[in-house]
Amino acid sequence: MRETFCHRLWSEFFINSNGKVYTCCHHKPSKLGNIHINKLETIYNNEKILRLREQSLKGALKCFKNCNLLSEKELLVSKPNSLLVKSTQLNRLKIVFGEGCNINCRMCWQNSKSQKMLDFEMLKKQVNLSDFKLLDIQGGEPLFIKSSQKYFEYASSKEVKISILTNGTIMTEKIAKQLLKSSRSLKISLNAATKDIHEFVNRGSSWERVLNNIQLLKKIKDKNKPEFNIIGHMTIIYQNIHEIPLFIETFKKLGFDKIEFGYDFRVPFYLKLNPQKKKSIKDKISIALDKSEYGEKIELHRLQNLGLIL
């Protein structure tokens, strides 16, 4: 029997900008409800998710085969004894507030000019934040969308920890202090190791502005909360793939404590069509990792998915 156990069906929920509820940001394995209609707590153990949990335990969860999200650590999570969950077992809630953004990245499929966003008051009414240990606030650009800004301030008054992925262009001392107070980390989407490639990929961004904002955050973090992690996130596309080794070599100088990778869905096809390019990049990544003093600070899961490391 195939192994298809996914712990996220028992511990995580994802709300997209239309209010639809899933357990995975890839809108898998199936829509569970809609936050405009259902309170989230009524979805925790509804008929749809119980059926999916049963499929997961029986080796029949269809989306598992092509999943590129679950890390090796997540695959080792112990299987639950019940299909039902209590609110105390929940871990992470991810909310995409809208698509609005102050820049326009090349690989982004979202409409950066969209004014549509989840309603702040509706979310307050429909979601019990105290059921979750970690809140992931996503966009668009979370620090640009008004409702996500308000929800961030609201969530900051709760005990839930907050995680944000930002393009790094919007940062003030007030925002930095709020982030440090309520978060364990902040992810900044740099998507390059050099100015030209960064500004090519993150259209409308400024390399200098982002690096200055990282240094502002780092200065406040070092003084007030040294354990806070500034994480550099690089989404790989075929135009920046050659910068992976340099990103690994220089991420500490850029101001990051850790780095991680994502990739555009076209990248696996690009690598398949360009085997020599893949081998060259793979060799350079191997050299960069061997030389690095900070290997434990580099999340390699997505590079493994792409076959760029062993």
Side-chain angles (χ1 to χ4, degrees), residues 180 217-226 228 257:
L180 262 70
L217 182 63
K218 189 175 187 305
K219 181 179 178 181
I220 297 172
K221 150 202 144 73
D222 289 345
K223 182 177 179 181
N224 299 283
K225 195 175 180 180
F228 183 89
D257 299 299

Side-chain angles (χ1 to χ4, degrees), residues 13-16 18-21 32-44 87 90 93-95 97 118-132 135 151 154 158:
F13 286 92
F14 169 74
I15 302 171
N16 74 5
N18 293 316
K20 296 177 182 178
V21 180
L32 305 172
N34 193 301
I35 205 68
H36 291 106
I37 302 168
N38 318 106
K39 282 184 176 290
L40 188 59
E41 60 193 35
T42 68
I43 298 174
Y44 296 167
S87 59
L90 299 174
L93 174 64
K94 301 178 183 179
I95 305 177
F97 281 82
L118 287 175
D119 182 70
F120 168 70
E121 294 295 338
M122 179 274 297
L123 282 172
K124 274 182 66 177
K125 179 182 176 182
Q126 298 293 81
V127 175
N128 183 2
L129 263 185
S130 62
D131 286 347
F132 296 90
L135 169 67
Y151 203 77
Y154 164 71
K158 307 293 181 181

Side-chain angles (χ1 to χ4, degrees), residues 48-275:
K48 287 185 177 180
I49 198 166
L50 291 179
R51 185 166 63 249
L52 291 167
R53 287 172 185 158
E54 185 176 25
Q55 290 174 7
S56 182
L57 292 177
K58 288 185 174 180
L61 190 65
K62 293 181 180 179
C63 60
F64 191 91
K65 181 180 179 181
N66 296 314
C67 179
N68 65 0
L69 295 180
L70 293 173
S71 64
E72 291 183 15
K73 184 177 179 180
E74 289 180 280
L75 293 173
L76 297 175
V77 174
S78 299
K79 291 182 182 179
N81 297 318
S82 172
L83 298 180
L84 301 172
V85 299
K86 299 177 182 178
S87 59
T88 53
Q89 295 173 269
L90 299 174
N91 183 41
R92 176 178 293 189
L93 174 64
K94 301 178 183 179
I95 305 177
V96 173
F97 281 82
E99 298 184 355
C101 189
N102 60 328
I103 65 173
N104 183 20
C105 297
R106 289 184 179 274
M107 65 286 187
C108 185
W109 51 266
Q110 295 178 318
N111 177 10
S112 62
K113 299 185 184 300
S114 173
Q115 299 294 313
K116 184 179 178 182
M117 65 186 81
L118 287 175
D119 182 70
F120 168 70
E121 294 295 338
M122 179 274 297
L123 282 172
K124 274 182 66 177
K125 179 182 176 182
Q126 298 293 81
V127 175
N128 183 2
L129 263 185
S130 62
D131 286 347
F132 296 90
K133 300 178 182 67
L134 178 64
L135 169 67
D136 249 326
I137 296 178
Q138 303 178 10
E141 170 51 49
L143 299 177
F144 177 77
I145 300 170
K146 290 181 180 178
S147 64
S148 68
Q149 290 175 357
K150 290 177 69 175
Y151 203 77
F152 170 68
E153 292 179 5
Y154 164 71
S156 297
S157 67
K158 307 293 181 181
E159 291 192 8
V160 62
K161 295 297 181 183
I162 304 169
S163 174
I164 292 179
L165 174 61
T166 174
N167 60 41
T169 59
I170 302 172
M171 184 65 63
T172 63
E173 188 171 336
K174 179 183 176 181
I175 291 173
K177 287 180 177 178
Q178 276 187 309
L179 287 166
L180 262 70
K181 179 182 177 182
S182 306
S183 311
R184 294 182 296 191
S185 63
L186 175 70
K187 296 180 182 180
I188 297 178
S189 182
L190 199 64
N191 298 325
T194 60
K195 172 182 170 67
D196 288 349
I197 299 300
H198 168 78
E199 293 181 356
F200 174 81
V201 177
N202 288 22
R203 292 177 294 195
S205 180
S206 161
W207 174 258
E208 289 83 7
R209 184 194 308 155
V210 174
L211 293 190
N212 286 339
N213 286 340
I214 293 171
Q215 291 306 315
L216 170 65
L217 182 63
K218 189 175 187 305
K219 181 179 178 181
I220 297 172
K221 150 202 144 73
D222 289 345
K223 182 177 179 181
N224 299 283
K225 195 175 180 180
E227 69 276 15
F228 183 89
N229 284 307
I230 305 172
I231 302 172
H233 180 91
M234 180 179 182
T235 298
I236 302 165
I237 60 177
Y238 72 87
Q239 294 100 327
N240 70 359
I241 196 168
H242 63 282
E243 295 232 320
I244 296 173
L246 186 59
F247 193 61
I248 291 171
E249 291 171 10
T250 61
F251 77 89
K252 281 286 185 176
K253 293 179 182 178
L254 295 173
F256 296 123
D257 299 299
K258 298 180 178 182
I259 55 171
E260 64 178 26
F261 298 89
Y263 57 84
D264 180 78
F265 73 94
R266 290 162 288 202
V267 170
F269 299 102
Y270 172 77
L271 291 174
K272 187 174 182 179
L273 292 171
N274 296 275

